[in-house]
Amino acid sequence: MRVQEPIILSTTDSEPEPDVVIARNRSDNYLDSHPEPADILLVIEVSDSTLKYDRQTKLSLYAEAGIANYWIFNLVDNQLEIYSEPYQKRQGNFNYRSQRVLLPNEAVVIPGFPDLSLDLSLVFPA
C-alpha cells in the first residue's frame, strides 16, 4: 500500500500522486521505480473540494493508462464511486465502462483480495 506517492503513467509522461494505491508486491519494494499500471490493483482518491477534477481529469488519465480499478471516496455525497474496465471512446476520450455508486450502508470487496471487504459505514459518518 502506498499513500500519496507517485505512480508512473507512461501514456502521459505523468507521475500523479494518488491518495492511496494498492500495488502488487515486488521484491524491490518499489525502491528502483514507482509502480506502473500493470503493478497497480487499485487507485483511490479521497475527494471533497477536488471532486470535479478527480471525476474528470484524473479519471480520464487513469483510464488512458489502463488502471483497472479506480475508486473515489466522495466526501461531498458520502458515497464510494467505483470505476473499472477502462476503454477509449469513439471521440478519443478515455473512461470506464463500469461505474457503480455504493452507499454508507454497503460493503465492497477490495480488488485483488477477494476475502477482504470494507464496510463503508466505518468510512462515512452516519
Side-chain angles (χ1 to χ4, degrees):
M1 182 176 295
R2 300 168 57 87
V3 178
Q4 296 183 332
E5 294 185 54
I7 60 173
I8 297 172
L9 301 182
S10 55
T11 56
T12 61
D13 292 326
S14 170
E15 289 192 7
E17 297 178 4
D19 292 323
V20 177
V21 169
I22 298 177
R24 298 181 197 287
N25 191 23
R26 216 168 69 181
S27 60
D28 71 348
N29 292 320
Y30 296 101
L31 296 176
D32 293 333
S33 69
H34 302 304
E36 297 183 28
D39 302 315
I40 297 170
L41 300 172
L42 174 62
V43 169
I44 297 172
E45 297 289 356
V46 179
S47 300
D48 50 12
S49 63
T50 62
L51 185 57
K52 182 177 178 181
Y53 184 76
D54 292 339
R55 276 184 177 158
Q56 295 174 358
T57 304
K58 284 192 173 180
L59 183 141
S60 181
L61 285 173
Y62 295 147
E64 181 177 3
I67 301 292
N69 296 288
Y70 175 45
W71 291 4
I72 298 174
F73 281 88
N74 176 340
L75 302 181
V76 175
D77 299 312
N78 284 340
Q79 63 189 26
L80 173 60
E81 300 175 13
I82 296 178
Y83 301 91
S84 60
E85 301 178 49
Y87 79 105
Q88 184 173 12
K89 295 180 180 180
R90 244 186 185 177
Q91 303 86 352
N93 300 339
F94 290 84
N95 204 334
Y96 286 90
R97 290 172 39 115
S98 177
Q99 302 176 12
R100 293 178 46 212
V101 172
L102 296 179
L103 303 175
N105 63 339
E106 297 181 276
V108 61
V109 173
I110 299 170
F113 301 90
D115 297 333
L116 290 179
S117 64
L118 175 62
D119 179 351
L120 296 176
S121 69
L122 301 172
V123 176
F124 296 109

